[in-house]
Amino acid sequence: MIKLIKVDGFKSLKNFKLELTEGLNILVGPNGSGKTNILSFFQFLGYLMESNVSEAISRCGGAGAVLSKVENGFRSSLKAVIHGNVAAGKKVYFYYKYEFTIGIQHSGELFTFRYQRLQLKRRTVVTRDPRVITEFDLDVSVTKDKEGKTKAEVASLDRRKLSVREPFFGQGKKLTKPDIVNYIESNLCDNSVSDESLINAISMTVRDVMHVGFDIGGGKVYNIVPSLAKIPEDSAKPPGINNDGSGIYSTLYSIQKASGRERIHLRYGGFYRPFGRRLSQTKVTLDKVVKFIQLANPAIEKIEVSNDPFDNQLQVRIKIEGDDNTVLPLQSMSDGTIKWISLMLVIMTDDSTY
């Protein structure tokens, strides 16, 4: 998991530092203090793992919505450092440090990575104090000047500690370490990959880097909009809660059909994610969903999902505890209850959530 972020130049985050602990982390603060901007930064990291810089910025609303404001517009650069630990097997952990600077090219229009550096260390335990690491098994950096000229350097590459996949042209030939280092550096200077994250660019050669990509880009930010979550959905819609909280109908319908016996396949995000996951849940039932929902609304006794064959629209009926056995449609629930239902479904069906 990500343990520490340092950000300078993203929205209101200037010289910002945040440490995360295992388990539940809660952000508390008054309106306008920047809580949402912190979550937006994690979302931005996810976009960087699945697209180039310009597209990631565009998906966040454009440069004006991403970069910190200054007197005459917005800043021309964004800097960040991410530290974390990720498990890769039994007694196999990777401590990583990924830092980057995003800026405007000389044209003044195109955003690009000006600097990136990835450091990786394989260990048998989780690294809680980075100061114990004196050298890294992988240390790669890429620098691009204002004219667009790229320079890459592999400062360290320990093939004994890392899973290194030899380039295709090396099949049948024993490549030396300098051969692979030269290949990595040449590939990183290629214009076709120079605007991608360094993690994307080398993950197919140094395969352990994929674990870092999953850790940084595997999370998802939710901002639940009750009015959208209440809209009935078509029965053909695939299950999974979307960023805005919609998807309740299709997810509950899939859980009801599975009845805890079949695998429920949920695909999140809606975009191709190099470091995304297809999640399978085998023990989620409507009864378990109801028990979690009752934490917020004890009056809810049962949930049933039906498919109207006339228009293929899913309907969710909620039985309220009481003598009159009141049954209400999902649309009649309060906004707070809708948010809670959506949140519970996310927690129960997605194992990587911000």
Side-chain angles (χ1 to χ4, degrees):
M1 66 171 286
I2 295 175
K3 302 292 291 184
L4 171 69
I5 63 169
K6 296 179 181 178
V7 189
D8 185 28
F10 182 85
K11 297 192 176 186
S12 64
L13 306 182
K14 302 175 183 179
N15 295 318
F16 176 79
K17 177 180 177 181
L18 175 67
E19 294 187 45
L20 300 172
T21 59
E22 294 182 5
L24 181 64
N25 291 265
I26 300 176
L27 301 174
V28 180
N31 289 339
S33 60
K35 301 186 298 298
T36 301
N37 291 343
I38 297 172
L39 297 180
S40 295
F41 177 73
F42 284 110
Q43 187 175 45
F44 179 63
L45 289 179
Y47 292 155
L48 286 178
M49 294 299 104
E50 60 188 32
S51 57
N52 61 34
V53 176
S54 297
E55 184 178 344
I57 291 177
S58 176
R59 288 170 63 179
C60 281
V66 170
L67 300 175
S68 297
K69 299 293 190 298
V70 293
E71 185 176 351
N72 296 320
F74 52 84
R75 288 179 54 167
S76 61
S77 65
L78 158 63
K79 298 180 179 181
V81 182
I82 301 97
H83 298 250
N85 290 285
V86 58
K90 187 176 182 180
K91 291 187 177 181
V92 179
Y93 299 90
F94 286 101
Y95 169 78
Y96 64 86
K97 178 182 178 183
Y98 174 53
E99 53 186 308
F100 62 82
T101 300
I102 293 174
I104 303 177
Q105 273 189 329
H106 68 284
S107 63
E109 298 177 356
L110 183 64
F111 281 87
T112 185
F113 282 110
R114 286 184 183 171
Y115 175 75
Q116 293 187 82
R117 186 179 185 184
L118 176 64
Q119 296 171 293
L120 194 66
K121 179 68 175 181
R122 176 172 177 159
R123 305 194 70 210
T124 58
V125 296
V126 173
T127 303
R128 303 191 184 281
D129 185 358
R131 291 176 296 182
V132 304
I133 298 178
T134 57
E135 59 182 16
F136 288 90
D137 301 323
L138 176 69
D139 189 347
V140 184
S141 61
V142 185
T143 305
K144 181 183 289 187
D145 61 26
K146 292 185 179 180
E147 301 303 318
K149 186 177 180 180
T150 304
K151 178 183 178 182
E153 179 183 5
V154 179
S156 65
L157 176 64
D158 192 335
R159 298 174 67 183
R160 300 167 301 173
K161 301 286 187 66
L162 302 173
S163 174
V164 179
R165 178 179 179 270
E166 294 185 353
F168 68 91
F169 57 74
Q171 298 297 325
K173 172 188 174 183
K174 185 64 175 179
L175 295 184
T176 64
K177 178 179 175 181
D179 290 333
I180 296 179
V181 167
N182 181 66
Y183 170 79
I184 293 174
E185 291 178 345
S186 299
N187 186 56
L188 291 175
C189 291
D190 190 314
N191 290 331
S192 64
V193 299
S194 60
D195 284 332
E196 292 185 12
S197 73
L198 176 58
I199 295 172
N200 271 343
I202 67 172
S203 61
M204 294 304 295
T205 304
V206 186
R207 304 185 73 174
D208 293 313
V209 173
M210 288 186 176
H211 298 295
V212 179
F214 278 118
D215 202 48
I216 294 178
K220 187 177 178 184
V221 176
Y222 293 86
N223 185 16
I224 299 170
V225 182
S227 59
L228 298 178
K230 291 180 180 182
I231 299 175
E233 297 161 350
D234 188 271
S235 60
K237 183 180 181 299
I241 303 300
N242 301 312
N243 302 68
D244 57 13
S246 62
I248 293 178
Y249 292 82
S250 58
T251 303
L252 288 175
Y253 187 52
S254 181
I255 292 173
Q256 179 175 273
K257 287 196 301 181
S259 301
R261 295 188 299 270
E262 303 172 4
R263 304 188 78 181
I264 304 168
H265 295 293
L266 305 168
R267 186 177 295 278
Y268 288 84
F271 295 92
Y272 167 68
R273 298 176 66 108
F275 298 117
R277 287 189 287 277
R278 182 169 182 171
L279 308 172
S280 297
Q281 300 293 331
T282 59
K283 297 182 180 179
V284 180
T285 64
L286 283 184
D287 288 340
K288 287 188 176 182
V289 172
V290 170
K291 288 181 179 179
F292 275 105
I293 295 175
Q294 287 173 340
L295 295 173
N297 192 335
I300 294 178
E301 188 176 88
K302 187 177 181 180
I303 291 178
E304 293 181 349
V305 189
S306 61
N307 179 25
D308 187 339
F310 181 75
D311 55 7
N312 280 330
Q313 287 287 308
L314 297 175
Q315 296 294 333
V316 175
R317 305 290 179 183
I318 297 178
K319 182 179 179 181
I320 304 299
E321 184 180 18
D323 296 334
D324 54 355
N325 291 325
T326 304
V327 177
L328 300 173
L330 181 69
Q331 300 96 308
S332 66
M333 296 292 101
S334 69
D335 287 355
T337 298
I338 291 293
K339 284 189 174 185
W340 185 256
I341 293 174
S342 189
L343 176 63
M344 287 302 99
L345 289 174
V346 168
I347 292 174
M348 296 180 76
T349 60
D350 187 352
D351 63 356
S352 179
T353 305
Y354 294 123

